[in-house]
Amino acid sequence: MITFVESILLLVGCALAVFVWQELMWDVRRRARRQWLSRHGSGCASHICGYLFDDAPIPLPETECNHEALLELLHSVCTLTSGYDPRRVALLSRRMGLDDYLQRRTRGRTRCTRAVYSLLALQTGIDVDLRLPATGDDLASQTLFALSATRLDDTDAAVRHLAARNLSPTSAAMAVEMRSRRYPLSDYSEALHSADTMAVRIGLAAVRRTANPEMTFEVIRLVDTCNDELLEDSLYALVALRLSVVRQSVARAVAHLGEIRRTRFYRHLVVEGYSSQAIELLCRNEPSAAIRDYAISLGESHKRRLDQPQKQTVL
Amino acid sequence: MKILILAVRPTDRYALQGLVAPLCRDVVVTDSVAGLERMCLRHRFDAVISVGFEWLTSGRDTAVAVRRGGRDCRVLVLSEACHEQAVLGVVEGGVGQYLSLPVEAHRLRRKLCRR
Amino acid sequence: MMFLLMWLYVTAVTMLAVAVTVACVARHVVLMRDGCTRRLAGLWTLTGCDALAEPGVSLLVDYDGNEQTLEELLSLDYLRYEVVVVGNLAVDHSLARVVERYSMVEVGAPVVDERLSNSPRRLYRSRRRSYRRLVVVDSAAEHTAERLDCALAVRSYDRVLAVERGVRLSPEALRVMVWRACESPDTEVITAPVMTDDSVMGAVSEVWGFFGRCRTEVALMDGDTVVAVGGFSAPRGRGGATRRIVKRLRRAGCLRLRLGVAVGRNPKAVPRVGLVDFAVCHLLGYGAVLLWFGDHTMRRVAVLCLVILWLTGLMAAVGSRAFRRYSGSRRSWWQTIAVPLAVPFRIFLVRHRKNA
């Protein structure tokens, strides 16, 4: 006869045994992946690169193929290089069975697992039917949603798609980065003229990433209009373009920021290499003397004023 | 031609190995700075390809060890970083060529073949 | 009366076994989630151009003379960060060697916030662009917290991470922690554990220390918030500077997020005995008593308890082996299986290490 206490303990023991098994299997899979890579990695990589870049015949799948390792290898090739035909990647993944493997993994149990494999699929360009999260503010969901825009040819359509959700700067930057790999000539100037704040934010993320000097007038215009929601984005975009901050419009915009955000912006100017004179001129109308002195002294500390004799260290 | 590849991720090492395979078969790979220094002291390389440039900012003078491998040794750094100061710092550290990722395969091969 | 006490005791110990199991399962879930987080952070393409997408971090380092640690800190897998090293140039010759090695020149120090009680004596930056990440602060401060305050005063980025003596970060530490910080922008403090060492003792500390108070941690915090609460020297109490400031920030209402994956190691840390150690010993003692004195049913219960205890330890040990990447440890399978068996001796081993 099993008592009540024993039955509880038995249930607990069974649950634990399941988790131990899961962790053991994770370790075994990791070792199998490493061993496959050490044995077949270089040969497989040569075949893949030969097919993608040198018109070599499509490689035949090996009998014992570690899909996880193969996926990581293809991902490395796709992220390190450019200039290959995406259709060849699609054909290769179909021949190797990677699209079925990814399809299964993107239906994984946890959101994070689905996010990892969906990201791998998007970054390699393998065509997989992704179940994108409709909601969710976590970075994984946002990034997945943002990267789905890499599948859209037209830049304006991609921006409209991205503007449908409130994306964080990190997700927006990742989306722009991935699109710039696939469509290097993407033009985001229309996004900067949009009435939608989120679309403008995407455009500004593109400016910060690419530092395209053709966007100069649009960025200055946005700083002039002093829209509260886009203030920080447009100021940082202005700095990314290395434009002068000694302007009345910049001073007006900075005055709209709170104390902490102003301090952070001055710090950012110092790190980006603006001269201490430029920071001093910008801080002329700074209401807080402490912040003004701090910003100017930090700038001078970074710039190491050459008119003063350099003090040598006595060892 | 003898090439040394430095990359932390194993799949990056194999990918680069596959990429330069049409140019040369004599490719040595390593995953750490210590390995890079050791290989450069033992062998003479025509080119060193590095994914990332952390070894240039640590102060280890690895560039000296790399140059000891031969004056003609070309050092190519591949990185996603596009910040101006980072790139200037890399060039100042003694790197012959800085290429931003993703790099065109044929362009990389041309850089390796050029003398 | 005796029967009632015995019954209460049996119930309490059974609930304890269930609680330890639930804690182990929670740890497993956290590790799986953070393993995925680590993978996602690895797929993140960093360009160093966008300050809003890639927040800058200032590492505040209390220099212990180990140049290899400094080299590791200067070659982390992240782009927007700086290393602010604090020491006393007047007495520390290793710091003077650093100044010479990295071609550093004295510069003016920025104005120190009045809320911080310690200010630097001198500040050094490198002439070379490739070493622009390194900043050396000369300070007469004697304690770690005061030195960290000096580093906090001269930082150039918004987020800070204090690296105390002996702590060695893994190359991907910043990438993972900053990714997690970007995932939860409302969280002001992200903490992550740091392993002690690779021996069986270290493994036991890591496994059971996950639940207890004997973990060494690093914390990614907002620098302005740390200044607002008075810096690292303000909070008094036991534990390292990081632990005290995290407690202070939590009391001030800051949200904290705990990462499960280790981001570095600290071989110098001496683990402390925690509540879980006493609970585990109690469970073992109960099992031993039942095995010796109990009847047939009680012996079965005792055996089940011991098996559960061993499974929880094994799960935690396998999990930590599976997710451990840094330190290049090659812990063998016999060590992994032996770790849960070493748990009862942990208290004695900790005391021995403390006295040594």
Side-chain angles (χ1 to χ4, degrees):
Chain A
M1 277 293 287
I2 301 176
T3 62
F4 178 65
V5 167
E6 281 173 312
S7 57
I8 292 179
L9 291 174
L10 266 172
L11 276 170
V12 159
C14 290
L16 270 178
V18 165
F19 281 111
V20 169
W21 181 251
Q22 206 174 25
E23 295 211 3
L24 268 170
M25 284 297 104
W26 198 94
D27 196 33
V28 163
R29 275 199 302 267
R30 197 172 65 101
R31 281 159 64 88
R33 190 166 70 233
R34 240 191 342 211
Q35 276 170 0
W36 188 90
L37 269 178
S38 61
R39 254 186 263 137
H40 305 288
S42 55
C44 207
S46 302
H47 290 314
I48 291 173
C49 292
Y51 175 64
L52 289 181
F53 301 110
D54 299 320
D55 278 329
I58 189 164
L60 295 169
E62 298 189 22
T63 46
E64 278 184 37
C65 183
N66 190 309
H67 286 111
E68 186 72 31
L70 196 58
L71 177 64
E72 284 179 14
L73 198 56
L74 187 61
H75 177 259
S76 282
V77 173
C78 292
T79 47
L80 288 176
T81 61
S82 65
Y84 53 83
D85 188 353
R87 287 171 297 185
R88 289 198 160 217
V89 173
L91 201 58
L92 188 67
S93 62
R94 222 171 297 138
R95 178 68 72 95
M96 297 279 182
L98 282 179
D99 48 354
D100 288 334
Y101 176 76
L102 264 177
Q103 194 74 70
R104 284 196 307 272
R105 301 300 283 184
T106 51
R107 302 276 188 266
R109 267 172 253 131
T110 62
R111 188 170 50 193
C112 208
T113 313
R114 290 196 294 270
V116 167
Y117 287 97
S118 303
L119 199 53
L120 281 169
L122 286 165
Q123 285 185 335
T124 45
I126 296 174
D127 198 14
V128 166
D129 179 28
L130 296 175
R131 239 186 243 162
L132 295 172
T135 54
D137 284 333
D138 60 300
L139 195 57
S141 308
Q142 280 193 12
T143 308
L144 274 180
F145 177 79
L147 290 177
S148 60
T150 55
R151 293 182 164 181
L152 297 167
D153 291 352
D154 181 38
T155 308
D156 294 333
V159 169
R160 275 196 302 275
H161 172 82
L162 290 169
R165 271 171 78 166
N166 189 14
L167 295 176
S168 66
T170 310
S171 319
M174 276 189 84
V176 166
E177 169 70 31
M178 288 310 303
R179 281 206 90 249
S180 69
R181 286 182 180 221
R182 256 200 194 176
Y183 313 106
L185 301 172
S186 297
D187 180 20
Y188 291 89
S189 50
E190 283 301 315
L192 294 177
H193 288 287
S194 169
D196 187 358
T197 311
M198 199 56 229
V200 177
R201 200 169 268 162
I202 303 294
L204 288 170
V207 170
R208 288 195 302 272
R209 162 68 183 83
T210 57
N212 186 352
E214 291 172 19
M215 309 287 197
T216 302
F217 290 116
E218 279 85 8
V219 172
I220 293 175
R221 180 186 59 81
L222 283 166
V223 171
D224 284 341
T225 50
C226 225
N227 183 341
D228 276 342
E229 289 178 10
L230 297 169
L231 208 50
E232 217 166 20
D233 294 69
S234 42
L235 280 172
Y236 279 75
L238 188 127
V239 171
L241 289 170
R242 297 283 183 271
L243 300 173
S244 169
V245 293
V246 185
R247 293 167 199 268
Q248 278 191 2
S249 54
V250 175
R252 264 200 315 269
V254 170
H256 273 73
L257 296 172
E259 253 190 34
I260 292 178
R261 286 163 79 191
R262 276 204 311 276
T263 316
R264 286 180 186 177
F265 181 66
Y266 294 140
R267 237 182 254 135
H268 179 62
L269 289 177
V270 168
V271 167
E272 290 301 307
Y274 278 79
S275 67
S276 42
Q277 284 90 351
I279 296 170
E280 203 171 330
L281 286 167
L282 180 62
C283 289
R284 244 180 337 199
N285 297 323
E286 168 61 45
S288 164
I291 294 176
R292 185 177 58 236
D293 294 339
Y294 169 71
I296 295 169
S297 59
L298 188 65
E300 284 178 0
S301 165
H302 269 256
K303 282 297 180 182
R304 301 190 290 278
R305 293 181 67 154
L306 296 174
D307 55 347
Q308 288 174 1
Q310 299 295 331
K311 292 175 194 168
Q312 295 298 317
T313 314
V314 176
L315 296 173
Chain B
M1 195 194 272
K2 198 170 173 119
I3 296 177
L4 173 65
I5 294 173
L6 164 66
V8 173
R9 284 185 212 176
T11 47
D12 286 351
R13 293 198 290 275
Y14 296 130
L16 282 173
Q17 219 173 344
L19 212 57
V20 304
L23 289 179
C24 83
R25 293 285 167 190
D26 196 359
V27 177
V28 176
V29 297
T30 179
D31 64 349
S32 65
V33 178
L36 173 71
E37 287 172 354
R38 227 179 10 251
M39 289 298 156
C40 287
L41 287 171
R42 276 188 215 161
H43 308 282
R44 202 185 155 115
F45 292 100
D46 296 296
V48 172
I49 305 175
S50 162
V51 178
F53 52 84
E54 291 80 26
W55 54 279
L56 285 161
T57 57
S58 67
R60 273 181 80 133
D61 281 336
T62 308
V64 172
V66 169
R67 292 282 175 226
R68 218 176 283 163
R71 272 199 198 149
D72 294 338
C73 179
R74 314 200 68 217
V75 181
L76 286 86
V77 164
L78 311 179
S79 174
E80 278 142 8
C82 60
H83 195 253
E84 187 188 6
Q85 294 298 320
V87 176
L88 289 172
V90 165
V91 172
E92 190 191 72
V95 160
Q97 191 81 52
Y98 176 89
L99 297 168
S100 57
L101 289 174
V103 65
E104 268 218 21
H106 299 294
R107 188 172 172 229
L108 177 64
R109 289 170 183 171
R110 273 201 309 273
K111 295 284 180 194
L112 287 170
C113 289
R114 202 180 289 170
R115 295 265 170 213
Chain C
M1 189 66 183
M2 279 299 298
F3 178 75
L4 183 65
L5 281 173
M6 194 67 194
W7 190 85
L8 282 172
Y9 185 63
V10 166
T11 315
V13 174
T14 309
M15 284 170 65
L16 188 68
V18 172
V20 168
T21 309
V22 166
C24 269
V25 168
R27 178 185 175 277
H28 169 85
V29 168
V30 165
L31 276 185
M32 296 298 266
R33 179 202 71 193
D34 288 340
C36 260
T37 301
R38 181 187 251 160
R39 242 183 127 177
L40 273 174
L43 298 174
W44 190 15
T45 47
L46 295 168
T47 59
C49 299
D50 191 342
L52 291 181
E54 298 167 27
V57 179
S58 293
L59 296 183
L60 313 178
V61 182
D62 181 13
Y63 192 55
D64 58 358
N66 190 339
E67 290 194 17
Q68 198 185 352
T69 311
L70 187 57
E71 285 170 15
E72 285 171 7
L73 287 175
L74 287 169
S75 41
L76 296 179
D77 183 17
Y78 193 67
L79 290 168
R80 294 187 76 88
Y81 78 100
E82 64 175 356
V83 179
V84 185
V85 170
V86 189
N88 191 346
L89 265 176
V91 299
D92 192 353
H93 296 295
S94 58
L95 194 64
R97 267 202 306 276
V98 166
V99 168
E100 193 181 341
R101 182 182 171 192
Y102 289 92
S103 309
M104 309 206 79
V105 65
E106 188 177 347
V107 298
V111 168
V112 176
D113 194 295
E114 60 193 8
R115 288 168 289 191
L116 295 174
S117 49
N118 296 282
S119 55
R121 212 160 39 190
R122 282 183 291 206
L123 186 68
Y124 296 86
R125 293 187 193 274
S126 179
R127 271 196 220 100
R128 293 184 57 175
R129 238 187 280 256
S130 42
Y131 302 146
R132 65 186 171 82
R133 211 169 251 173
L134 178 63
V135 180
V136 170
V137 177
D138 177 24
S139 163
E142 288 173 1
H143 302 293
T144 300
E146 290 162 1
R147 290 181 173 193
L148 291 174
D149 275 344
C150 291
L152 186 65
V154 304
R155 77 191 190 285
S156 303
Y157 290 110
D158 302 327
R159 301 243 179 190
V160 298
L161 191 146
V163 181
E164 294 180 57
R165 290 191 172 218
V167 172
R168 298 173 70 163
L169 295 178
S170 63
E172 62 202 358
L174 273 187
R175 189 186 262 264
V176 173
M177 293 186 85
V178 174
W179 172 270
R180 202 72 179 92
C182 291
E183 272 193 321
S184 333
D186 297 331
T187 309
E188 281 105 336
V189 183
I190 311 276
T191 59
V194 161
M195 302 181 301
T196 47
D197 58 36
D198 294 333
S199 64
V200 175
M201 180 61 221
V204 173
S205 304
E206 187 201 337
V207 164
W208 290 108
F210 183 83
F211 311 111
R213 296 167 58 189
C214 31
R215 287 158 73 208
T216 312
E217 286 181 328
V218 290
L220 181 69
M221 303 167 277
D222 179 48
D224 294 320
T225 314
V226 175
V227 170
V229 299
F232 290 90
S233 338
R236 306 259 174 240
R238 283 163 50 180
T242 304
R243 191 181 292 278
R244 290 201 313 265
I245 193 70
V246 167
K247 259 191 209 165
R248 175 76 183 248
L249 288 171
R250 288 189 69 201
R251 257 187 260 128
C254 294
L255 287 172
R256 173 197 179 166
L257 206 141
R258 201 182 243 184
L259 271 179
V261 285
V263 294
R265 66 188 176 115
N266 184 359
K268 294 181 185 172
V270 177
R272 282 184 286 167
V273 175
L275 200 61
V276 174
D277 297 295
F278 286 111
V280 164
C281 284
H282 210 63
L283 201 65
L284 282 169
Y286 162 66
V289 162
L290 284 183
L291 273 174
W292 194 256
F293 295 110
D295 63 3
H296 194 60
T297 312
M298 282 193 166
R299 276 185 202 156
R300 285 203 317 239
V301 169
V303 166
L304 277 172
C305 281
L306 291 172
V307 167
I308 284 169
L309 202 63
W310 185 74
L311 277 175
T312 55
L314 183 63
M315 186 182 92
V318 171
S320 78
R321 175 195 156 91
F323 284 97
R324 175 189 288 243
R325 284 236 199 120
Y326 184 54
S327 83
S329 71
R330 298 283 181 262
R331 197 193 296 160
S332 58
W333 273 105
W334 78 264
Q335 273 186 319
T336 305
I337 293 166
V339 155
L341 299 175
V343 163
F345 302 103
R346 191 176 113 81
I347 293 177
F348 305 104
L349 289 171
V350 167
R351 295 237 182 267
H352 168 74
R353 193 167 164 188
K354 257 190 178 166
N355 296 332

